[in-house]
Amino acid sequence: MTDVEVEYCVPCGFLDRAETVQHALLTSLGEELDSVALVTGEKGVFRVSVDGETIYDKDEDGDYDADDLVRAVRDRMS
């Protein structure tokens, strides 16, 4: 099974964004995932990792799209 971690900046107000991604992942892939953890961070971080490997980093990838992240997680699971 698969573990997903969504690290988000608390002072930046990224909780809503993190919850949106978490909800999209659990709705689409919930039975195939071991966990989708929200991890607090700072300094503008918004990063999604699958089994310890970063698949999205706001600093490198720009704007996020929850559906794109679900597809990326699904691809890692294949």
Side-chain angles (χ1 to χ4, degrees), residues 14-76:
F14 290 163
L15 175 59
D16 288 345
R17 182 184 297 197
E19 288 176 332
T20 297
V21 171
Q22 182 185 47
H23 180 76
L25 288 168
L26 290 172
T27 300
S28 300
L29 305 171
E31 293 183 14
E32 302 171 60
L33 299 172
D34 284 323
S35 67
V36 180
L38 299 182
V39 179
T40 59
E42 55 186 31
K43 298 183 181 176
V45 68
F46 189 77
R47 184 178 304 125
V48 179
S49 302
V50 178
D51 294 330
E53 183 178 342
T54 300
I55 63 162
Y56 172 84
D57 187 326
K58 177 183 70 63
D59 291 339
E60 297 171 11
D61 301 313
D63 289 335
Y64 84 104
D65 179 85
D67 293 332
D68 287 344
L69 291 173
V70 169
R71 281 189 288 279
V73 170
R74 184 178 287 125
D75 289 348
R76 293 280 182 202

